[in-house]
Amino acid sequence: VVTGSASGIGAATKQYLESRKYKVIGVDRHSADVIVDLASTQGREDLIAQVLRLAPSGIDAVVANAGVNLPDVLTLQVNFFGGVATLEGLRPLLRRQSPRAVLVASRVVLQPVVDDIVEACLAGDEELAVRLGDALPAELKARLYASSKLAAARWLRRVAGSDAWAAAGIPLNAVAPGSVDTPMIGHRNSDELARTLRERPMPLGGLAKPHEVAAVISWLLEPDNTKVTGQMIFVDGGGETLMRREDIWSGTVR
Ligand SMILES: NC(=O)c1ccc[n+]([C@@H]2O[C@H](COP(=O)([O-])OP(=O)(O)OC[C@H]3O[C@@H](n4cnc5c(N)ncnc54)[C@H](O)[C@@H]3O)[C@@H](O)[C@H]2O)c1
């Protein structure tokens, strides 16, 4: 199951998996096998019911990819609450031989967030997260995107090693793309894109193509991935290494 399959990274992932002979159930607001709005509770419930109808014996893998990047609380509702509902809701259906799950996060987790909103997301309090998001001054609303993605990445770290995922035999990982050439950033003109790449570099080959992200997602879903879980792989051509440098493992584990 791939959400956000009608466009960009989701469409490329669906295509990539189909080229390897997997049967993919695409999910989106339009042009998909399952048409739902993941921003709504009803849409999230319909997702589970419709996937169950299409795959009564269960599914192999789920990719929570659908997302928006808007200075609006919709960004929290789709990216965090829709993403988590997709992964948690479809987890019981992951009952075939090599179940796998992937979340599409973003390198934007390195940008400033709104802490209260991240905490409200992690507490599962959608009403509070939306209220706090609506109350943000206009100049901070752009942080809703980073907040939604950081909350999702932290949620993944919290649950991946638990009984529900790792101990149940389900690797759960994330990819964190840098800038990817999809409609999500298609409104940016060439000057804006050049500025983005200057400020948030991607030295290995520049702007990513959707299929380059799809290839990493696809490997994480393969039966060959037997031990990698709880990881977020930056698919950003080395930008994250330039931004964070080498010291990302400080803090001793006793
Ligand atoms: N493009 C980038 O530069 C970039 C970078 C990092 C992360 N991402 C992430 O990658 C994922 C895919 O983005 P993309 O670049 O392919 O964008 P895109 O706009 O091309 O595709 C997103 C898809 O999600 C679907 N979607 C949005 N809201 C939905 C809803 N409420 N219910 C169901 N489906 C919904 C859209 O209809 C669309 O088909 C997103 O989670 C995005 O945040 C993108």
Side-chain angles (χ1 to χ4, degrees), residues 8-249:
I9 295 168
T13 302
K14 183 170 188 287
Q15 202 176 27
Y16 198 98
L17 293 169
E18 285 172 346
S19 74
R20 278 155 183 73
K21 310 288 176 225
Y22 290 106
K23 182 172 181 292
V24 179
I25 298 175
V27 179
D28 211 299
R29 278 176 307 183
H30 58 88
S31 319
D33 304 300
V34 171
I35 297 183
V36 289
D37 176 4
L38 292 170
S40 75
T41 310
Q42 185 63 54
R44 296 168 197 158
E45 285 170 9
D46 290 349
L47 164 71
I48 315 306
Q50 292 195 46
V51 170
L52 192 55
R53 189 172 49 76
L54 291 171
S57 63
I59 58 174
D60 299 285
V62 53
V63 183
N65 162 75
V68 292
N69 180 359
L70 299 168
D72 186 279
V73 293
L74 186 64
T75 297
L76 302 174
Q77 293 172 304
V78 179
N79 300 4
F80 180 82
F81 292 99
V84 169
T86 298
L87 292 164
E88 283 186 337
L90 293 179
R91 183 172 47 78
L93 274 62
L94 285 168
R95 50 178 182 242
R96 292 168 67 104
Q97 217 168 5
S98 305
R100 305 281 181 265
V102 168
L103 165 78
V104 179
S106 170
R107 184 177 64 174
V108 78
V109 297
L110 303 180
Q111 305 296 315
V113 298
V114 183
D115 292 331
D116 288 357
I117 292 179
V118 172
E119 294 305 329
C121 288
L122 285 166
D125 194 337
E126 187 164 1
E127 205 185 301
L128 176 62
V130 165
R131 194 151 22 93
L132 293 169
D134 277 333
L136 277 181
E139 67 274 14
L140 290 184
K141 292 214 190 226
R143 293 190 182 187
L144 289 169
Y145 183 60
S147 302
S148 73
K149 293 292 184 180
L150 182 68
R154 281 183 50 189
W155 171 82
L156 179 134
R157 295 287 298 176
R158 192 176 275 189
V159 303
S162 70
D163 288 351
W165 294 93
I170 312 171
L172 168 64
N173 292 286
V175 292
S179 298
V180 190
D181 187 10
T182 74
M184 183 173 277
I185 63 166
H187 59 279
R188 297 185 194 169
N189 64 35
S190 53
D191 285 350
E192 286 171 326
L193 261 182
R195 201 183 63 226
T196 303
L197 286 176
R198 246 191 340 269
E199 289 169 0
R200 296 173 206 159
M202 299 182 66
L204 183 67
L207 192 66
K209 293 280 178 210
H211 72 85
E212 295 176 291
V213 182
V216 181
I217 294 172
S218 174
W219 183 81
L220 291 167
L221 299 177
E222 287 290 340
D224 274 356
N225 173 23
T226 53
K227 279 289 175 285
V228 178
T229 193
Q231 303 307 306
M232 182 160 77
I233 301 186
F234 284 84
V235 188
D236 71 338
E240 180 260 349
T241 64
L242 292 179
M243 289 189 250
R244 286 209 294 181
R245 301 290 168 184
E246 75 271 20
D247 185 21
I248 62 167
W249 295 288

